[in-house]
Structures are given as C-alpha cells and as structure tokens.
Amino acid sequence: MTSTFAAFGPISLTSVDQGGREMGRNAVRLLLERIADRGRRSAQVTLSTTLVPRRSTARLTE
C-alpha cells in the first residue's frame, strides 16, 4: 500500500510500496506463533517491494 499523499497534487512522487498490510499480517502471525510456543526460534520473513512510478520519475532523453 503506497502513501495517498505521494500521489496527491502537482508533485505526484514516485514511491516504493513496501507491502505494509502483508508486513502487518506476518507480524501478527509470528507473534501468535511465538506466544503459543515460547521456545520457538525467531523467523525472518522477506517481502518483495514494488516501485510505483509517478510524475516525479521521467525517462531520460538522449
């Protein structure tokens, strides 16, 4: 989910969507798993990011 403000107005900034909702879901899942089994080892989750190009990104002209 990207910032609404990045797309707002005349600037329209390019941004990186870091998957906030998916990050939150994983955090809750891992927390509940850890509470259920306190001896459980910590886990590392890698999420993908997505570039959201807007008007602040322009092609280079040659």
Side-chain angles (χ1 to χ4, degrees):
M1 178 159 116
T2 60
S3 170
T4 303
F5 296 112
F8 185 73
I11 298 173
S12 190
L13 293 173
T14 295
S15 61
V16 176
D17 183 351
Q18 296 180 339
R21 287 194 171 118
E22 186 177 357
M23 195 181 310
R25 279 192 297 271
N26 277 294
V28 169
R29 178 182 57 81
L30 292 169
L31 176 62
L32 293 175
E33 289 174 0
R34 190 73 179 261
I35 290 170
D37 179 7
R38 294 198 180 253
R40 184 181 186 92
R41 295 177 57 107
S42 61
Q44 182 174 355
V45 177
T46 303
L47 302 176
S48 298
T49 57
T50 304
L51 180 66
V52 182
R54 294 193 180 92
R55 289 193 312 211
S56 64
T57 304
R59 285 192 172 151
L60 297 176
T61 57
E62 294 182 25

